């Protein structure tokens, strides 16, 4: 196929703005699937993706479309739709020449949409705005179009109005894409240069690498190498991506397809890496490659201790398809043996938990999520802490650095006060405030990541009645007054419940956790103290009252000393019981700790 007939594009959209539905209509119009006879969200092949209405794993597909008696190749490179997967989005965008900016007419431009739009503009992509859901009664098509023209500066003739659900306007949009999106650049005579924008593991064929060819060509049998690790392989199969893989002899500059080269692990074929041939290799890799960095850490422990081996094997299998997931063994006095895992964000953590249960039937308990802290010790050495248990003694610490994020919140002006109060409670520092239009504004903050990961997104949606949207990116590590808080049950530390927070919030967070535990830990024959402590200092306490047997019930009269004697005997018995007894903490208690209020 001539390069002039190829269009490589992606769809940029916020969660639930109709990206997967639009992809379905495009597949029907290009006759990849028959209309009305397929399940919705064809490219979202995980149950989790369909249930949550998001794209977790990016997909790609090649479509053929005829316009003015000419056949064109449309390569849709799908992108994940959540802030946790922003790096994967950036590599997918780098593989494209144009982008459909999909905006829900009933909700307008959202923070995540703007963030991905900036990424697309950085990659010099041609932007085609598409207003979706024009069939809804609450849609504000004119207002959304005005926002696009004001904020992005794109004229009306390049803005398309569609309903991805009914298919209205999609045919005109396809024709417009061919007119507005430029064909790919690249010279077939140059040394081969291909960008990996996705890779996944196949049980029978090893790692399947999805690439966009920028220069030269790759053929079956070519010896290739990867720039990031200098590993060498031989191409066993090559082809393009329909609903199923279609083998071909070669891929040339401008084309999108797959490569199978007996690569054993996804970690060896990282997203963003560059592939070239060993013979006549290109000199420089394509820009933008970065190692995926986990931002949130949590302990994963099997509910049944006999499932430890199953959990280990299940995590290893998940990692075959998810290079961003990291895990290493850890042990806890309360929960036994498990793994300390690193995730891109809270959604990534939830997805892994769900997949472990659904796909591998391993029920697990997660400990309180944490982030990476850089410890500057008194002796001049440095230490990285992912787990609160590893935090050194306060006397050995000179200072602690915590990760700070750049946060953008887009919200209707009616809810600005609620947002300002919420972010202030979470230690946010306001940097900028701009009106997008007369009804909505964009607020920029610097916020600690530890304040975002728990329930900030839920609270944001709650105080704005669902209208606010958020995007965030890592900014820097900054010295902060954070402390480790231990939870003590009956004067014994429960290591799996320890957490790190800002000093000013230690009492509120500690009190919230102890109050939650008070409701789920069974009462004993003696009082049980639930305490939150910083080092040796108790900062919060709740008490589980004792079960009391009425030992004086049989006394109907007589001297008061008889009753006192029985009560003193009971008191001594409870004292001995408390000294030798231990409190059994149910699994529900660890789940309740995660639900504790963090304001």
């Amino acid at each position: 196929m001539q390069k002039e007939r190829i269009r490589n594009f992606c769809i940029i959209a916020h969660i639930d703005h109709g990206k997967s539905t639009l992809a379905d209509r495009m597949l029907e119009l290009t006759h990849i699937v028959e209309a009305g006879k397929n399940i919705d969200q064809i490219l979202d092949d995980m149950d989790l993706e369909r249930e949550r209405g998001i794209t977790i794993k990016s997909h790609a597909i090649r479509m053929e479309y005829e316009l003015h008696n000419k056949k064109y190749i449309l390569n849709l490179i799908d992108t994940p739709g959540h802030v946790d997967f922003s790096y994967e989005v950036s590599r997918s965008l780098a593989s494209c020449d144009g982008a459909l900016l999909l905006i829900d007419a009933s909700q307008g431009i959202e923070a995540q949409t703007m963030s991905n739009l900036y990424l697309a503009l950085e990659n010099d992509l041609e932007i085609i705005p598409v207003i979706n859901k024009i069939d809804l009664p609450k849609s504000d098509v004119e207002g959304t179009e005005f926002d696009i023209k004001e904020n992005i500066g794109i004229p009306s003739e390049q803005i398309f109005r569609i309903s991805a659900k009914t298919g209205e306007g999609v045919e005109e949009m396809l024709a417009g894409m061919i007119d507005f999106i430029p064909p790919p650049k690249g010279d077939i005579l140059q040394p081969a240069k291909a960008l990996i924008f996705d890779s996944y593991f196949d049980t029978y064929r090893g790692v399947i690498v999805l690439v966009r060819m920028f220069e030269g060509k790759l053929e079956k049998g070519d010896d290739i190498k990867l720039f990031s690790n200098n590993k060498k392989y031989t191409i066993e199969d090559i082809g393009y991506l329909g609903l199923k893989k279609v083998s071909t002899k070669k891929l040339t500059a401008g084309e999108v397809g797959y490569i199978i080269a007996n690569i054993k692990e996804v970690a060896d074929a990282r997203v963003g890496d560059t592939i070239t041939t060993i013979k006549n290799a290109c000199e420089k890799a394509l820009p933008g490659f970065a190692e995926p960095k986990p931002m949130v850490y949590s302990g994963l422990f099997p509910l049944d201790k006999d499932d430890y081996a199953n959990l280990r094997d299940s995590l290893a299998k998940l990692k075959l398809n998810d290079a961003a997931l990291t895990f290493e063994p850890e042990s806890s006095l309360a929960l036994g043996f498990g793994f300390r895992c690193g995730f891109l964000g809270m959604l990534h953590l939830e997805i892994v938990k769900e997949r472990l249960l659904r796909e591998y039937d391993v029920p697990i308990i997660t400990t309180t999520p944490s982030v990476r802290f850089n410890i500057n010790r008194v002796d001049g050495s440095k230490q990285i802490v992912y787990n609160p248990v590893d935090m050194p003694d306060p006397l050995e610490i000179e200072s602690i650095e915590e990760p700070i994020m750049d946060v953008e919140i887009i919200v209707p002006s009616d809810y600005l006060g609620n947002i300002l109060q919420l972010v202030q409670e979470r230690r946010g520092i306001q940097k900028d405030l701009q009106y997008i239009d007369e009804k909505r504004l964009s607020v920029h903050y610097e916020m600690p990541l530890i304040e975002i990961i728990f329930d900030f997104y839920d609270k944001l949606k709650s105080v704005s009645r669902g209208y606010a949207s958020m995007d965030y990116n890592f900014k820097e590590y900054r010295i902060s007054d954070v402390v480790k808080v231990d939870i003590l049950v009956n004067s014994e530390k429960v290591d799996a419940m320890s957490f790190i927070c800002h000093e000013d919030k230690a009492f509120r967070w500690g009190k919230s956790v102890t109050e939650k535990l008070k409701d789920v830990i069974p009462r004993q024959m003696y009082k049980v103290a639930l305490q939150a402590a910083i080092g040796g200092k108790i900062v919060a306490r709740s008490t589980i009252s004792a079960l009391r047997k009425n030992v004086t019930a049989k006394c109907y009269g007589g001297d008061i000393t008889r009753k006192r004697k029985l009560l003193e005997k009971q008191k001594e018995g409870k004292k001995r019981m408390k000294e030798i007894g231990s409190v059994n903490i149910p699994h529900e208690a660890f789940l309740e700790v995660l639900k504790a209020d963090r304001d």
Side-chain angles (χ1 to χ4, degrees):
M1 176 62 72
Q2 299 172 357
K3 281 190 305 176
E4 290 70 25
R5 303 278 183 87
I6 297 174
R7 300 292 184 271
N8 297 323
F9 71 100
C10 62
I11 305 172
I12 296 171
H14 191 70
I15 297 168
D16 202 31
H17 276 213
K19 178 158 64 75
S20 297
T21 309
L22 175 58
D24 291 349
R25 297 296 82 74
M26 294 170 77
L27 293 176
E28 290 173 1
L29 287 170
T30 54
H31 310 294
I32 298 290
V33 296
E34 192 174 341
K37 292 198 175 180
N38 280 275
I39 54 175
D40 291 337
Q41 294 170 254
I42 297 164
L43 295 183
D44 291 345
D45 49 15
M46 280 189 214
D47 289 340
L48 268 174
E49 291 180 312
R50 293 197 180 94
E51 286 172 20
R52 289 174 176 263
I54 59 173
T55 299
I56 296 165
K57 184 74 176 157
S58 63
H59 300 265
I61 194 162
R62 167 172 159 156
M63 298 171 280
E64 292 186 3
Y65 185 68
E66 189 170 325
L67 182 68
H68 307 314
N69 297 320
K70 293 180 181 178
K71 282 191 175 179
Y72 291 87
I73 297 296
L74 307 178
N75 288 313
L76 167 59
I77 299 173
D78 202 9
T79 56
H82 194 274
V83 64
D84 285 3
F85 307 107
S86 56
Y87 172 68
E88 285 80 356
V89 171
S90 73
R91 295 305 85 209
S92 294
L93 293 174
S95 305
C96 300
D97 302 300
L100 301 180
L101 180 66
L102 190 66
I103 300 168
D104 186 333
S106 63
Q107 296 185 46
I109 300 172
E110 304 270 20
Q112 187 66 33
T113 314
M114 292 301 294
S115 174
N116 289 341
L117 172 63
Y118 297 145
L119 282 174
L121 292 172
E122 284 173 16
N123 284 283
D124 201 25
L125 301 191
E126 185 67 33
I127 306 298
I128 300 178
V130 180
I131 301 173
N132 189 24
K133 304 187 183 180
I134 61 172
D135 56 317
L136 292 183
K138 292 184 178 180
S139 64
D140 181 11
V141 179
E142 301 299 332
T144 306
E145 185 171 316
F146 179 80
D147 286 351
I148 293 169
K149 288 190 285 188
E150 285 291 307
N151 291 290
I152 309 170
I154 293 176
S156 297
E157 59 268 19
Q158 202 171 325
I159 301 173
F160 293 90
R161 303 179 177 191
I162 69 162
S163 169
K165 188 175 182 180
T166 65
E168 180 185 348
V170 178
E171 188 103 43
E172 292 80 0
M173 184 201 73
L174 284 173
M177 283 168 48
I178 291 170
D179 291 336
F180 292 120
I181 296 176
K185 299 175 182 177
D187 187 349
I188 193 172
L189 301 176
Q190 292 293 318
K193 186 183 285 188
L195 173 69
I196 300 175
F197 64 84
D198 195 14
S199 60
Y200 62 93
F201 185 81
D202 183 278
T203 307
Y204 302 103
R205 309 196 72 180
V207 176
I208 297 173
V209 181
L210 307 188
V211 297
R212 151 75 194 272
M213 294 295 302
F214 278 86
E215 302 281 358
K217 63 180 180 178
L218 290 175
E219 300 184 36
K220 188 175 180 180
D222 279 352
D223 294 321
I224 59 172
K225 71 172 183 177
L226 286 83
F227 263 86
S228 68
N229 51 28
N230 208 33
K231 291 191 175 182
K232 298 174 177 62
Y233 303 95
T234 300
I235 296 177
E236 297 178 350
D237 189 18
I238 193 167
Y240 62 85
L241 300 149
L243 278 182
K244 295 182 180 178
K245 292 182 286 295
V246 181
S247 293
T248 186
K249 290 182 180 179
K250 61 185 177 182
L251 289 175
T252 59
E255 292 190 305
V256 173
Y258 71 89
I259 293 172
I260 298 174
N262 198 28
I263 302 172
K264 301 295 185 185
E265 295 183 11
V266 169
D268 292 335
R270 297 277 195 187
V271 170
D273 203 354
T274 303
I275 294 176
T276 189
T277 49
I278 294 173
K279 186 179 179 182
N280 192 26
C282 63
E283 294 181 1
K284 290 183 179 180
L286 291 159
F289 174 73
E291 295 282 346
K293 294 180 180 178
M295 298 300 292
V296 175
Y297 297 84
S298 180
L300 268 56
F301 294 85
L303 204 57
D304 184 345
K305 292 179 181 178
D306 293 336
D307 275 339
Y308 175 77
N310 291 340
L311 177 58
R312 180 190 61 219
D313 295 343
S314 301
L315 285 170
K317 289 174 184 174
L318 274 182
K319 187 167 174 60
L320 288 173
N321 262 324
D322 189 351
L325 173 66
T326 64
F327 66 95
E328 58 184 30
E330 78 163 340
S331 60
S332 162
L333 293 173
L335 297 174
F337 292 100
F339 297 91
R340 191 73 184 173
C341 300
F343 307 92
L344 295 172
M346 289 301 288
L347 177 71
H348 191 200
L349 187 157
E350 289 177 34
I351 289 164
V352 170
K353 279 170 58 179
E354 284 286 332
R355 292 187 68 184
L356 285 170
L357 182 60
R358 293 186 187 201
E359 298 175 26
Y360 303 102
D361 196 27
V362 182
I364 58 169
I365 296 172
T366 57
T367 59
T368 306
S370 185
V371 299
R372 167 180 160 166
F373 293 92
N374 296 334
I375 312 297
N376 301 312
R377 301 176 71 110
V378 175
D379 60 9
S381 62
K382 296 182 181 294
Q383 181 182 347
I384 296 172
V385 169
Y386 304 103
N387 189 342
V389 175
D390 299 329
M391 184 71 82
D393 188 280
L395 296 176
E396 299 174 11
I397 298 174
E398 178 71 32
S399 61
I400 302 175
E401 298 174 0
E402 66 173 341
I404 303 296
M405 313 302 283
D406 269 328
V407 180
E408 179 187 20
I409 298 171
I410 293 180
V411 63
S413 53
D414 293 349
Y415 303 104
L416 178 60
N418 296 346
I419 300 297
L420 294 177
Q421 182 179 350
L422 173 65
V423 179
Q424 190 173 0
E425 289 171 354
R426 298 299 178 101
R427 296 192 286 136
I429 301 171
Q430 185 177 322
K431 307 303 289 184
D432 189 17
L433 189 152
Q434 295 178 334
Y435 275 86
I436 297 172
D437 55 39
E438 59 184 18
K439 293 181 180 178
R440 292 183 309 134
L441 44 83
S442 170
V443 196
H444 289 85
Y445 285 97
E446 290 177 0
M447 279 183 67
L449 180 58
I450 194 71
E451 301 283 351
I452 296 173
I453 64 172
F454 285 103
D455 57 358
F456 180 74
Y457 189 71
D458 293 337
K459 290 282 178 72
L460 184 73
K461 288 293 184 183
S462 177
V463 299
S464 67
R465 297 189 182 178
Y467 288 109
S469 62
M470 176 183 73
D471 179 56
Y472 60 86
N473 294 290
F474 173 74
K475 179 177 175 64
E476 63 184 3
Y477 280 92
R478 192 177 294 169
I479 291 176
S480 180
D481 296 326
V482 295
V483 291
K484 173 193 172 187
V485 180
D486 291 308
I487 300 299
L488 287 71
V489 177
N490 200 25
S491 301
E492 292 188 9
K493 285 184 184 178
V494 183
D495 53 357
M497 292 183 183
S498 298
F499 58 88
I500 299 172
C501 71
H502 193 267
E503 191 173 29
D504 294 343
K505 298 198 169 186
F507 167 73
R508 277 177 289 168
W509 287 27
K511 187 66 176 175
S512 178
V513 169
T514 57
E515 286 295 321
K516 283 283 184 185
L517 292 176
K518 181 181 174 182
D519 295 334
V520 291
I521 294 178
R523 292 171 68 188
Q524 310 293 316
M525 294 300 294
Y526 50 88
K527 284 184 181 180
V528 176
L530 306 172
Q531 299 165 311
I534 302 173
K537 180 184 176 184
I538 305 299
V539 295
R541 170 181 172 136
S542 299
T543 305
I544 302 174
S545 56
L547 288 169
R548 185 174 182 276
K549 181 182 177 183
N550 188 0
V551 292
T552 62
K554 57 189 176 182
C555 299
Y556 291 101
D559 198 327
I560 188 65
T561 56
R562 188 180 174 202
K563 289 186 178 181
R564 283 181 181 162
K565 184 178 179 182
L566 289 170
L567 291 170
E568 287 296 326
K569 187 177 179 182
Q570 183 188 46
K571 187 177 178 181
E572 287 296 319
K574 287 190 176 186
K575 188 177 179 181
R576 283 197 306 276
M577 194 184 298
K578 186 174 182 178
E579 288 172 357
I580 62 174
S582 61
V583 179
N584 183 34
I585 302 174
H587 289 140
E588 293 79 18
F590 296 93
L591 299 175
E592 288 300 316
V593 169
L594 300 178
K595 299 175 186 175
D597 192 3
R598 304 287 173 171
D599 282 335

